[in-house]
Amino acid sequence: MPRASPESSSLPGRLARSYAEHGARSRSVLLAVSGGADSTALLVGTARVREALALHVEVATVDHGLRAEAAREVTSVVGLSERLGLTCHVRRLALSPGAGLEARARAARYATLEVLRQERGLDFVATGHTLNDQAETLLMRLSRGTALRGARSIHARAATLLRPLLACSREDVLAFLTTEEVGFVVDPMNADPSFFRTRVRQDVLPALNRAAGFSTVEHLATFARLASEDEALLDGLADAAWERLALSGGGLDAVGLRALEPPLWRRVLARLLSTAGARVDHATLERAREVVARGGVIPLSDGFLLKATGGRVRCVGPGGESPPAPLVLAGPGAQGDFGAWRFQVAAEGFPPPGVLALMLEEGTAWPLTVRSRKQGDRVRTRAGHRKVQDVMVDARVPSEARDAQPVVVDARGEPLWLPGVLPRFVEPGAASREVASRHSLWAFPPLTSERKTPPL
């Protein structure tokens, strides 16, 4: 088999640059090879550049169990790998024909490759996607309706996954294999018109090329790459907006959300909905924007509600959550959890930063109980006794969060404190003529859920 250096062949040269750009130099990679033209070019091209990159290479081929011919194709991949001095791993699946076959096969294949990568202790899985795959994917997503995020199409790198052939067209692949005198198999499923991708490949893309008068593949792929760069910038801006607008206790600042430009409010609203588990699509986002602009409540799919009231925008799941179980604190030293809050009866001393505290009077009636609100609860404030419900409303505690708001009561059932709602905490240097027990109740607020969510 003739050998070509990276300098004398454009495909190995592009492969080498791609591996280096994505941090694979002196690392290890598992090549996913089906025996088709693209993956065969990936195998042969990578074998040509591995020494120059100090790249440890192994090969994997997957038989999905859908065609009898696949056994011969597996044997062909194993043989080619051996001739190139590479270890080849064979994995066999047992997929059944039927609806969603293409997506099911892809998911099963990627899962199998990832397990093998981890078993072998390799750094990356590499697949043979090309410029043509990028162009086809872009057209498929645009036809189904997508925003800029979907227009990014196929990523050159995603975590431990590399697609080093993404800068090469299928014509480049075929020319390289002809030069190398390497054969490949043709999967009949790739010509099956029942698959959307096949119809785009055989009908739509050629028609577009004819209408344009030239090959549009590279232009479509370039658009997908630029869309990916633009999307990354907007994601960063949306992340910053989320951090700025996220409110303690859940939800987003309504005024700030209304002030965002459309590309940002769409992303921030989508994150709010998806974090709650609601479905996200263009129509839902447009309806959500309307209620954010005017205030109020609208139903979403699957029983979710979007609420824009009290200066706060939040997405509420169906049914809500049950109130936390009451927490009984028998006396000094007692501690425990009420929902996401943690409480501790502490001796004298100031609480740690970020922890709320109620200084306890000498005549405190033990035990204390931390529970949810009850009808008729009244709490002492600087303005006199007020209904707990009214205090929560004035403090803009969201209606769906009020049952999770702790109410501290003494043995007589008298509410003493609403941590985080009533400002009955002690700051350094403060004193109270009512305090003589030298004990205080510390309340550790929950970590805000907004900080736990993944980036946009």
Side-chain angles (χ1 to χ4, degrees), residues 409-424:
V409 302
D410 62 14
R412 297 183 294 267
E414 179 183 348
L416 302 178
W417 189 33
L418 277 66
V421 174
L422 281 181
R424 291 189 62 183

Side-chain angles (χ1 to χ4, degrees), residues 54-197:
L55 190 64
H56 174 74
V57 180
E58 297 185 18
V59 182
T61 186
V62 178
D63 180 353
H64 297 85
L66 296 169
R67 298 182 298 108
E69 301 89 341
R72 293 195 298 274
E73 294 164 7
V74 165
T75 300
S76 174
V77 172
V78 172
L80 178 58
S81 301
E82 290 177 348
R83 292 196 297 277
L84 294 171
L86 301 175
T87 300
C88 183
H89 308 277
V90 177
R91 293 294 183 267
R92 291 182 169 84
L93 307 178
L95 297 179
S96 57
L101 176 60
E102 191 175 20
R104 288 189 289 113
R106 181 173 58 251
R109 180 170 63 253
Y110 276 107
T112 300
L113 292 169
E114 176 58 18
V115 169
L116 179 57
R117 182 194 70 80
Q118 294 182 25
E119 289 176 352
R120 297 295 298 171
L122 304 175
D123 296 311
F124 303 104
V125 171
T127 65
H129 291 88
T130 66
L131 276 175
N132 293 64
D133 295 306
Q134 184 76 286
E136 293 162 7
T137 301
L138 175 62
L139 291 175
M140 291 168 66
R141 292 185 177 178
L142 289 174
S143 65
R144 287 170 171 156
T146 187
L148 191 61
R149 176 168 296 184
R152 295 180 302 176
S153 300
I154 304 173
H155 295 261
R157 176 175 177 179
T160 58
L161 183 63
L162 298 180
R163 297 182 174 99
L165 272 182
L166 212 50
C168 301
S169 69
R170 193 154 291 132
E171 289 71 19
D172 296 329
V173 164
L174 296 176
F176 172 70
L177 293 177
T178 298
T179 300
E180 295 289 312
E181 299 178 5
V182 176
F184 56 89
V185 300
V186 177
D187 186 345
M189 293 181 67
N190 290 334
D192 187 345
S194 65
F195 295 116
F196 186 25
R197 182 176 292 275

Side-chain angles (χ1 to χ4, degrees), residues 158-383:
T160 58
L161 183 63
L162 298 180
R163 297 182 174 99
L165 272 182
L166 212 50
C168 301
S169 69
R170 193 154 291 132
E171 289 71 19
D172 296 329
V173 164
L174 296 176
F176 172 70
L177 293 177
T178 298
T179 300
E180 295 289 312
E181 299 178 5
V182 176
F184 56 89
V185 300
V186 177
D187 186 345
M189 293 181 67
N190 290 334
D192 187 345
S194 65
F195 295 116
F196 186 25
R197 182 176 292 275
T198 299
R199 298 194 296 274
V200 170
R201 178 179 299 152
Q202 295 184 345
D203 302 329
V204 178
L205 195 53
L208 182 59
N209 291 339
R210 288 194 299 272
F214 53 82
S215 174
T216 60
V217 168
E218 187 169 351
H219 297 294
L220 292 170
T222 297
F223 172 79
R225 178 177 58 80
L226 296 177
S228 180
E229 295 174 359
D230 292 348
E231 176 67 13
L233 174 61
L234 287 169
D235 273 353
L237 295 175
D239 279 341
W242 175 276
E243 293 296 323
R244 188 172 64 252
L245 300 179
L247 298 175
S248 175
L252 302 169
D253 176 71
V255 174
L257 185 57
R258 293 186 195 111
L260 294 179
E261 293 294 330
L264 297 182
W265 68 250
R266 276 194 295 266
R267 286 165 172 78
V268 173
L269 263 181
R271 177 167 172 173
L272 180 69
L273 300 183
S274 62
T275 298
R279 187 185 311 167
V280 179
D281 55 36
H282 180 70
T284 299
L285 290 177
E286 288 299 319
R287 292 178 60 224
R289 188 190 186 194
E290 290 178 8
V291 77
V292 169
R294 69 172 188 269
V297 180
I298 60 167
L300 304 176
S301 60
D302 304 319
F304 285 88
L305 295 175
L306 185 72
K307 297 186 175 184
T309 59
R312 183 187 300 257
V313 180
R314 65 261 191 215
C315 184
V316 182
E321 298 181 0
S322 300
L327 167 67
V328 177
L329 301 168
Q335 58 182 319
D337 296 332
F338 176 81
W341 288 75
R342 182 161 186 79
F343 289 85
Q344 176 183 343
V345 182
E348 59 183 332
F350 293 110
V355 176
L356 309 178
L358 171 68
M359 303 304 293
L360 299 173
E361 301 176 14
E362 174 134 14
T364 297
W366 297 93
L368 301 182
T369 300
V370 186
R371 60 164 173 78
S372 298
R373 60 180 176 159
K374 288 184 179 180
Q375 188 174 3
D377 277 346
R378 300 181 72 88
V379 65
R380 187 176 60 186
T381 69
R382 292 191 180 105

